[in-house]
């Protein structure tokens, strides 16, 4: 079982930027970032595979960038041009089982989540 720990999130004004990181306790391969607001399902935001190919949800494409330092076992999410609707609890995920890389059920390991708040 791999353990994941996200960095502290933060609060920014609309149009601002934040970078999240996620440290893994062991080797990880395909990883992803998800987010969730109360009362809604967890939404896949971005994923990266072992070949560093990336997948993004339409809501963040062109604004967010996922990357990974395989040697250091750290996953990153660079978030630019943030909008109030990006406000959410963000989770990193690992242990991809195959299939849709932005589907919550396809991952077996999760971080504890970190809050990102964007004010208008």
């Amino acid at each position: 079982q791999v353990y994941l720990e996200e960095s502290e999130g933060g609060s920014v004004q609309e149009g601002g930027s934040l970078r999240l990181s996620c440290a893994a306790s062991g080797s990880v391969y395909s990883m992803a970032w998800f987010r969730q607001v109360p009362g809604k399902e967890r939404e896949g935001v971005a994923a990266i595979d072992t070949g560093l190919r990336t997948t993004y949800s339409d809501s963040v494409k062109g604004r967010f960038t996922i990357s990974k330092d395989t040697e250091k076992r750290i996953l990153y999410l660079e978030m630019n041009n943030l909008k109030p609707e990006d406000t959410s609890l963000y989770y990193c995920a690992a242990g991809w089982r195959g299939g849709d890389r932005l589907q919550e059920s396809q991952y077996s390991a999760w971080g504890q989540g970190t809050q990102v708040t964007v004010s208008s």
Side-chain angles (χ1 to χ4, degrees), residues 19-31:
R19 187 176 81 158
L20 302 180
S21 62
C22 171
S25 64
S27 297
V28 289
Y29 304 100
S30 294
M31 299 184 73

Side-chain angles (χ1 to χ4, degrees), residues 21-66:
S21 62
C22 171
S25 64
S27 297
V28 289
Y29 304 100
S30 294
M31 299 184 73
W33 287 98
F34 286 76
R35 64 187 183 186
Q36 188 173 27
V37 296
K40 291 191 175 182
E41 293 185 357
R42 196 166 292 187
E43 172 194 15
V45 172
I48 187 166
D49 67 15
T50 54
L52 302 184
R53 289 167 295 212
T54 57
T55 304
Y56 296 95
S57 68
D58 288 342
S59 60
V60 306
K61 197 172 295 182
R63 301 187 297 120
F64 289 14
T65 302
I66 187 172

Side-chain angles (χ1 to χ4, degrees), residues 12 16 24 30 39 41 49 60 67 85 87 91 97 102 105 108 111:
V12 296
S30 294
E41 293 185 357
D49 67 15
V60 306
S67 61
E85 52 264 42
T87 295
Y91 298 87
R97 301 188 181 99
L102 296 182
S105 61
S108 61

